[in-house]
Amino acid sequence: MRTALLQSSGRPGSVAENLKVLDAAAGRAAAAGALLLAAPEMFLTGYAIGDDIGRLAEPADGESADAIADIAGRHGLAIAYGYPERDGESVFNSAQMISAEGIRLANYRKTHLFGCFERDHFTPGEQPIVQTELGGLTVGLMICYDVEFPENVRAHALAGTDLLVVPTAQMHPFQFVAESMIPVRAFENQLYVAYVNRVGQEGEFDFVGLSALAGPDGVARARAGRGEELVFADADPAFLAASREANPYLKDRRPGLYGSLV
């Protein structure tokens, strides 16, 4: 399944402008044969926007979700994107996937909040595994810091996730996560990881880019640089099946030895 990663911070604070950026990227992605376009963490509104997070937060089925469903339908591809989700008095750092038919497939709330900024503005999610089916693959959603907990990604592997889509706001000096950890997570769990980052200076944060789609062999199929970029790579079910047969980590586990982990 050809996947497009939109490495961009969009226009922080402007939902309307970010929808335009997403629309243009969807057109380019569809023209290149992509079935999925993934955008970064909090792409809809911007990340470092302070109290505007609460003001701009929307329900999962809000106006912006409808607008993105229209974009997905017009261009004929699924879209995964980060946004602030309002549910009553709570605001979650969420990621949603909408199908090429404009149907909401999956909505995930970030379970591990990073730093004081996120803990001040968001409620942590409580559902670790969120999946859907797309292009013959089981696709899971996770957000940024979540992927740095090996238990999280292993839980997805055990639940059958083939492609883990990770909208991200990865900042300096933690670029080793994109460069080293993401390929290792893909290899040790025998799945694909699509890690799609913001880029450039935004408030106090310096986002490092380096978005990648890593395969189950630990090799990045695509790697962005430090600027705004749309990169493409394929998640191949046949290669994944062969890799899992050759690297039987999940079969060779001994869960009875791991009780101390929990």
Side-chain angles (χ1 to χ4, degrees), residues 98-129:
I98 295 178
S99 76
E101 294 74 35
I103 298 169
R104 294 174 50 243
L105 296 176
N107 188 69
Y108 171 77
R109 295 167 172 176
K110 189 173 186 178
T111 54
H112 296 75
L113 302 180
F114 179 78
C116 296
F117 178 83
E118 291 193 7
R119 289 192 290 269
D120 286 346
H121 289 93
F122 298 110
T123 298
E126 297 295 334
Q127 185 175 353
I129 307 298

mmCIF file of all heavy atoms in Angstrom, residues 98-129:
data_model
loop_
_atom_site.group_PDB
_atom_site.id
_atom_site.type_symbol
_atom_site.label_atom_id
_atom_site.label_comp_id
_atom_site.label_asym_id
_atom_site.label_seq_id
_atom_site.Cartn_x
_atom_site.Cartn_y
_atom_site.Cartn_z
ATOM 1 N N ILE A 98 -9.706 8.787 8.189
ATOM 2 C CA ILE A 98 -10.942 8.863 7.408
ATOM 3 C C ILE A 98 -10.693 8.188 6.071
ATOM 4 O O ILE A 98 -9.643 8.386 5.443
ATOM 5 C CB ILE A 98 -11.378 10.323 7.231
ATOM 6 C CG1 ILE A 98 -11.740 10.923 8.598
ATOM 7 C CG2 ILE A 98 -12.552 10.434 6.273
ATOM 8 C CD1 ILE A 98 -12.137 12.374 8.565
ATOM 9 N N SER A 99 -11.635 7.374 5.619
ATOM 10 C CA SER A 99 -11.444 6.572 4.414
ATOM 11 C C SER A 99 -11.616 7.400 3.153
ATOM 12 O O SER A 99 -12.088 8.545 3.170
ATOM 13 C CB SER A 99 -12.447 5.417 4.388
ATOM 14 O OG SER A 99 -13.745 5.894 4.037
ATOM 15 N N ALA A 100 -11.260 6.781 2.019
ATOM 16 C CA ALA A 100 -11.439 7.417 0.719
ATOM 17 C C ALA A 100 -12.910 7.649 0.399
ATOM 18 O O ALA A 100 -13.236 8.455 -0.478
ATOM 19 C CB ALA A 100 -10.796 6.555 -0.372
ATOM 20 N N GLU A 101 -13.780 6.952 1.125
ATOM 21 C CA GLU A 101 -15.228 7.148 0.950
ATOM 22 C C GLU A 101 -15.775 8.191 1.925
ATOM 23 O O GLU A 101 -16.985 8.408 1.991
ATOM 24 C CB GLU A 101 -15.965 5.829 1.139
ATOM 25 C CG GLU A 101 -15.657 4.774 0.075
ATOM 26 C CD GLU A 101 -14.291 4.144 0.230
ATOM 27 O OE1 GLU A 101 -13.848 3.958 1.391
ATOM 28 O OE2 GLU A 101 -13.656 3.840 -0.801
ATOM 29 N N GLY A 102 -14.885 8.806 2.713
ATOM 30 C CA GLY A 102 -15.315 9.829 3.659
ATOM 31 C C GLY A 102 -15.866 9.278 4.955
ATOM 32 O O GLY A 102 -16.535 10.001 5.708
ATOM 33 N N ILE A 103 -15.559 8.019 5.268
ATOM 34 C CA ILE A 103 -16.053 7.379 6.491
ATOM 35 C C ILE A 103 -14.983 7.450 7.567
ATOM 36 O O ILE A 103 -13.808 7.185 7.312
ATOM 37 C CB ILE A 103 -16.421 5.908 6.216
ATOM 38 C CG1 ILE A 103 -17.551 5.842 5.182
ATOM 39 C CG2 ILE A 103 -16.836 5.199 7.509
ATOM 40 C CD1 ILE A 103 -17.807 4.450 4.651
ATOM 41 N N ARG A 104 -15.368 7.815 8.795
ATOM 42 C CA ARG A 104 -14.437 7.838 9.916
ATOM 43 C C ARG A 104 -14.124 6.397 10.325
ATOM 44 O O ARG A 104 -14.981 5.672 10.789
ATOM 45 C CB ARG A 104 -15.041 8.610 11.084
ATOM 46 C CG ARG A 104 -15.233 10.099 10.801
ATOM 47 C CD ARG A 104 -15.965 10.842 11.919
ATOM 48 N NE ARG A 104 -15.370 10.555 13.207
ATOM 49 C CZ ARG A 104 -15.990 9.949 14.218
ATOM 50 N NH1 ARG A 104 -17.247 9.563 14.092
ATOM 51 N NH2 ARG A 104 -15.369 9.720 15.351
ATOM 52 N N LEU A 105 -12.867 5.988 10.120
ATOM 53 C CA LEU A 105 -12.462 4.608 10.360
ATOM 54 C C LEU A 105 -11.965 4.364 11.773
ATOM 55 O O LEU A 105 -12.177 3.287 12.331
ATOM 56 C CB LEU A 105 -11.352 4.214 9.377
ATOM 57 C CG LEU A 105 -11.709 4.194 7.898
ATOM 58 C CD1 LEU A 105 -10.461 3.881 7.075
ATOM 59 C CD2 LEU A 105 -12.808 3.183 7.621
ATOM 60 N N ALA A 106 -11.225 5.323 12.333
ATOM 61 C CA ALA A 106 -10.598 5.108 13.640
ATOM 62 C C ALA A 106 -10.241 6.451 14.249
ATOM 63 O O ALA A 106 -9.866 7.394 13.543
ATOM 64 C CB ALA A 106 -9.337 4.252 13.496
ATOM 65 N N ASN A 107 -10.345 6.519 15.573
ATOM 66 C CA ASN A 107 -9.959 7.724 16.308
ATOM 67 C C ASN A 107 -9.193 7.300 17.560
ATOM 68 O O ASN A 107 -9.684 6.490 18.348
ATOM 69 C CB ASN A 107 -11.190 8.541 16.710
ATOM 70 C CG ASN A 107 -10.815 9.892 17.288
ATOM 71 O OD1 ASN A 107 -10.333 10.758 16.577
ATOM 72 N ND2 ASN A 107 -11.039 10.081 18.581
ATOM 73 N N TYR A 108 -7.992 7.838 17.717
ATOM 74 C CA TYR A 108 -7.106 7.451 18.823
ATOM 75 C C TYR A 108 -6.763 8.677 19.657
ATOM 76 O O TYR A 108 -6.490 9.761 19.112
ATOM 77 C CB TYR A 108 -5.823 6.835 18.259
ATOM 78 C CG TYR A 108 -4.754 6.610 19.309
ATOM 79 C CD1 TYR A 108 -4.831 5.535 20.186
ATOM 80 C CD2 TYR A 108 -3.678 7.489 19.434
ATOM 81 C CE1 TYR A 108 -3.863 5.327 21.155
ATOM 82 C CE2 TYR A 108 -2.702 7.293 20.399
ATOM 83 C CZ TYR A 108 -2.799 6.217 21.263
ATOM 84 O OH TYR A 108 -1.848 6.021 22.226
ATOM 85 N N ARG A 109 -6.742 8.499 20.978
ATOM 86 C CA ARG A 109 -6.374 9.565 21.911
ATOM 87 C C ARG A 109 -5.028 9.245 22.549
ATOM 88 O O ARG A 109 -4.858 8.160 23.116
ATOM 89 C CB ARG A 109 -7.459 9.699 22.990
ATOM 90 C CG ARG A 109 -8.802 10.157 22.441
ATOM 91 C CD ARG A 109 -9.930 9.987 23.452
ATOM 92 N NE ARG A 109 -11.165 10.609 22.967
ATOM 93 C CZ ARG A 109 -12.323 10.554 23.607
ATOM 94 N NH1 ARG A 109 -12.419 9.876 24.770
ATOM 95 N NH2 ARG A 109 -13.392 11.163 23.099
ATOM 96 N N LYS A 110 -4.088 10.134 22.448
ATOM 97 C CA LYS A 110 -2.723 9.913 22.932
ATOM 98 C C LYS A 110 -2.746 9.483 24.396
ATOM 99 O O LYS A 110 -3.325 10.155 25.257
ATOM 100 C CB LYS A 110 -1.908 11.192 22.758
ATOM 101 C CG LYS A 110 -0.426 11.047 23.010
ATOM 102 C CD LYS A 110 0.310 12.350 22.646
ATOM 103 C CE LYS A 110 1.808 12.206 22.749
ATOM 104 N NZ LYS A 110 2.505 13.455 22.341
ATOM 105 N N THR A 111 -2.080 8.374 24.683
ATOM 106 C CA THR A 111 -2.127 7.805 26.027
ATOM 107 C C THR A 111 -0.981 8.274 26.915
ATOM 108 O O THR A 111 -1.108 8.269 28.139
ATOM 109 C CB THR A 111 -2.117 6.268 25.961
ATOM 110 O OG1 THR A 111 -0.996 5.832 25.193
ATOM 111 C CG2 THR A 111 -3.391 5.741 25.320
ATOM 112 N N HIS A 112 0.151 8.647 26.323
ATOM 113 C CA HIS A 112 1.331 9.085 27.079
ATOM 114 C C HIS A 112 1.634 10.539 26.713
ATOM 115 O O HIS A 112 2.153 10.814 25.627
ATOM 116 C CB HIS A 112 2.538 8.192 26.771
ATOM 117 C CG HIS A 112 2.367 6.777 27.193
ATOM 118 N ND1 HIS A 112 1.562 5.884 26.513
ATOM 119 C CD2 HIS A 112 2.893 6.077 28.239
ATOM 120 C CE1 HIS A 112 1.597 4.714 27.112
ATOM 121 N NE2 HIS A 112 2.387 4.797 28.163
ATOM 122 N N LEU A 113 1.286 11.447 27.591
ATOM 123 C CA LEU A 113 1.489 12.868 27.326
ATOM 124 C C LEU A 113 2.914 13.259 27.665
ATOM 125 O O LEU A 113 3.460 12.858 28.693
ATOM 126 C CB LEU A 113 0.495 13.704 28.130
ATOM 127 C CG LEU A 113 -0.981 13.398 27.861
ATOM 128 C CD1 LEU A 113 -1.871 14.290 28.722
ATOM 129 C CD2 LEU A 113 -1.331 13.559 26.377
ATOM 130 N N PHE A 114 3.509 14.088 26.786
ATOM 131 C CA PHE A 114 4.910 14.454 26.936
ATOM 132 C C PHE A 114 5.052 15.847 27.539
ATOM 133 O O PHE A 114 4.587 16.837 26.966
ATOM 134 C CB PHE A 114 5.613 14.423 25.569
ATOM 135 C CG PHE A 114 7.060 14.816 25.638
ATOM 136 C CD1 PHE A 114 8.013 13.926 26.092
ATOM 137 C CD2 PHE A 114 7.463 16.090 25.273
ATOM 138 C CE1 PHE A 114 9.353 14.284 26.172
ATOM 139 C CE2 PHE A 114 8.801 16.465 25.341
ATOM 140 C CZ PHE A 114 9.744 15.560 25.793
ATOM 141 N N GLY A 115 5.683 15.931 28.693
ATOM 142 C CA GLY A 115 6.066 17.220 29.263
ATOM 143 C C GLY A 115 4.906 18.014 29.833
ATOM 144 O O GLY A 115 3.728 17.670 29.703
ATOM 145 N N CYS A 116 5.266 19.126 30.464
ATOM 146 C CA CYS A 116 4.273 19.984 31.126
ATOM 147 C C CYS A 116 3.292 20.587 30.134
ATOM 148 O O CYS A 116 2.108 20.744 30.442
ATOM 149 C CB CYS A 116 4.979 21.090 31.904
ATOM 150 S SG CYS A 116 5.995 20.505 33.271
ATOM 151 N N PHE A 117 3.771 20.932 28.938
ATOM 152 C CA PHE A 117 2.893 21.554 27.941
ATOM 153 C C PHE A 117 1.691 20.667 27.649
ATOM 154 O O PHE A 117 0.538 21.126 27.687
ATOM 155 C CB PHE A 117 3.675 21.841 26.661
ATOM 156 C CG PHE A 117 2.839 22.442 25.566
ATOM 157 C CD1 PHE A 117 2.582 23.804 25.542
ATOM 158 C CD2 PHE A 117 2.294 21.653 24.563
ATOM 159 C CE1 PHE A 117 1.798 24.359 24.538
ATOM 160 C CE2 PHE A 117 1.514 22.196 23.559
ATOM 161 C CZ PHE A 117 1.277 23.554 23.547
ATOM 162 N N GLU A 118 1.940 19.407 27.365
ATOM 163 C CA GLU A 118 0.828 18.517 27.032
ATOM 164 C C GLU A 118 -0.023 18.198 28.249
ATOM 165 O O GLU A 118 -1.257 18.143 28.162
ATOM 166 C CB GLU A 118 1.353 17.236 26.386
ATOM 167 C CG GLU A 118 1.925 17.478 25.000
ATOM 168 C CD GLU A 118 2.167 16.196 24.225
ATOM 169 O OE1 GLU A 118 1.779 15.101 24.704
ATOM 170 O OE2 GLU A 118 2.756 16.280 23.134
ATOM 171 N N ARG A 119 0.618 17.982 29.403
ATOM 172 C CA ARG A 119 -0.168 17.656 30.596
ATOM 173 C C ARG A 119 -1.043 18.829 31.039
ATOM 174 O O ARG A 119 -2.087 18.628 31.661
ATOM 175 C CB ARG A 119 0.762 17.210 31.714
ATOM 176 C CG ARG A 119 1.378 15.826 31.453
ATOM 177 C CD ARG A 119 2.055 15.265 32.682
ATOM 178 N NE ARG A 119 3.273 15.979 33.008
ATOM 179 C CZ ARG A 119 4.483 15.648 32.564
ATOM 180 N NH1 ARG A 119 4.626 14.613 31.745
ATOM 181 N NH2 ARG A 119 5.548 16.335 32.919
ATOM 182 N N ASP A 120 -0.636 20.057 30.692
ATOM 183 C CA ASP A 120 -1.439 21.232 31.029
ATOM 184 C C ASP A 120 -2.648 21.395 30.117
ATOM 185 O O ASP A 120 -3.619 22.056 30.500
ATOM 186 C CB ASP A 120 -0.585 22.502 30.950
ATOM 187 C CG ASP A 120 0.385 22.637 32.104
ATOM 188 O OD1 ASP A 120 0.232 21.905 33.106
ATOM 189 O OD2 ASP A 120 1.307 23.472 32.006
ATOM 190 N N HIS A 121 -2.588 20.839 28.910
ATOM 191 C CA HIS A 121 -3.625 21.123 27.916
ATOM 192 C C HIS A 121 -4.489 19.924 27.539
ATOM 193 O O HIS A 121 -5.551 20.108 26.937
ATOM 194 C CB HIS A 121 -2.996 21.703 26.642
ATOM 195 C CG HIS A 121 -2.476 23.093 26.800
ATOM 196 N ND1 HIS A 121 -1.172 23.362 27.135
ATOM 197 C CD2 HIS A 121 -3.101 24.287 26.702
ATOM 198 C CE1 HIS A 121 -1.002 24.667 27.218
ATOM 199 N NE2 HIS A 121 -2.149 25.252 26.972
ATOM 200 N N PHE A 122 -4.048 18.714 27.878
ATOM 201 C CA PHE A 122 -4.766 17.534 27.411
ATOM 202 C C PHE A 122 -5.074 16.560 28.548
ATOM 203 O O PHE A 122 -4.366 16.513 29.549
ATOM 204 C CB PHE A 122 -3.943 16.784 26.357
ATOM 205 C CG PHE A 122 -3.653 17.579 25.119
ATOM 206 C CD1 PHE A 122 -2.356 18.014 24.853
ATOM 207 C CD2 PHE A 122 -4.648 17.888 24.216
ATOM 208 C CE1 PHE A 122 -2.074 18.746 23.718
ATOM 209 C CE2 PHE A 122 -4.378 18.621 23.076
ATOM 210 C CZ PHE A 122 -3.086 19.044 22.832
ATOM 211 N N THR A 123 -6.100 15.766 28.307
ATOM 212 C CA THR A 123 -6.418 14.606 29.125
ATOM 213 C C THR A 123 -5.834 13.380 28.436
ATOM 214 O O THR A 123 -5.987 13.232 27.214
ATOM 215 C CB THR A 123 -7.939 14.447 29.248
ATOM 216 O OG1 THR A 123 -8.475 15.601 29.902
ATOM 217 C CG2 THR A 123 -8.300 13.195 30.038
ATOM 218 N N PRO A 124 -5.150 12.487 29.155
ATOM 219 C CA PRO A 124 -4.603 11.304 28.488
ATOM 220 C C PRO A 124 -5.702 10.330 28.077
ATOM 221 O O PRO A 124 -6.695 10.150 28.781
ATOM 222 C CB PRO A 124 -3.696 10.686 29.553
ATOM 223 C CG PRO A 124 -4.226 11.178 30.852
ATOM 224 C CD PRO A 124 -4.776 12.545 30.588
ATOM 225 N N GLY A 125 -5.511 9.691 26.936
ATOM 226 C CA GLY A 125 -6.425 8.651 26.496
ATOM 227 C C GLY A 125 -6.205 7.372 27.286
ATOM 228 O O GLY A 125 -5.181 7.203 27.949
ATOM 229 N N GLU A 126 -7.163 6.465 27.208
ATOM 230 C CA GLU A 126 -7.098 5.226 27.987
ATOM 231 C C GLU A 126 -7.188 3.975 27.123
ATOM 232 O O GLU A 126 -7.135 2.867 27.653
ATOM 233 C CB GLU A 126 -8.230 5.210 29.020
ATOM 234 C CG GLU A 126 -8.145 6.316 30.059
ATOM 235 C CD GLU A 126 -6.915 6.196 30.957
ATOM 236 O OE1 GLU A 126 -6.408 5.053 31.120
ATOM 237 O OE2 GLU A 126 -6.462 7.237 31.482
ATOM 238 N N GLN A 127 -7.320 4.132 25.805
ATOM 239 C CA GLN A 127 -7.437 2.959 24.924
ATOM 240 C C GLN A 127 -6.143 2.812 24.131
ATOM 241 O O GLN A 127 -5.885 3.580 23.201
ATOM 242 C CB GLN A 127 -8.624 3.112 23.971
ATOM 243 C CG GLN A 127 -8.863 1.886 23.111
ATOM 244 C CD GLN A 127 -10.109 1.998 22.251
ATOM 245 O OE1 GLN A 127 -10.881 2.947 22.386
ATOM 246 N NE2 GLN A 127 -10.313 1.038 21.368
ATOM 247 N N PRO A 128 -5.307 1.819 24.441
ATOM 248 C CA PRO A 128 -3.996 1.739 23.805
ATOM 249 C C PRO A 128 -4.016 1.223 22.375
ATOM 250 O O PRO A 128 -3.147 1.580 21.580
ATOM 251 C CB PRO A 128 -3.219 0.780 24.713
ATOM 252 C CG PRO A 128 -4.269 -0.067 25.348
ATOM 253 C CD PRO A 128 -5.466 0.812 25.510
ATOM 254 N N ILE A 129 -4.962 0.382 22.043
ATOM 255 C CA ILE A 129 -4.979 -0.233 20.711
ATOM 256 C C ILE A 129 -6.200 0.258 19.944
ATOM 257 O O ILE A 129 -7.336 -0.033 20.312
ATOM 258 C CB ILE A 129 -5.026 -1.775 20.794
ATOM 259 C CG1 ILE A 129 -3.918 -2.305 21.682
ATOM 260 C CG2 ILE A 129 -4.957 -2.381 19.392
ATOM 261 C CD1 ILE A 129 -2.526 -2.003 21.190
#
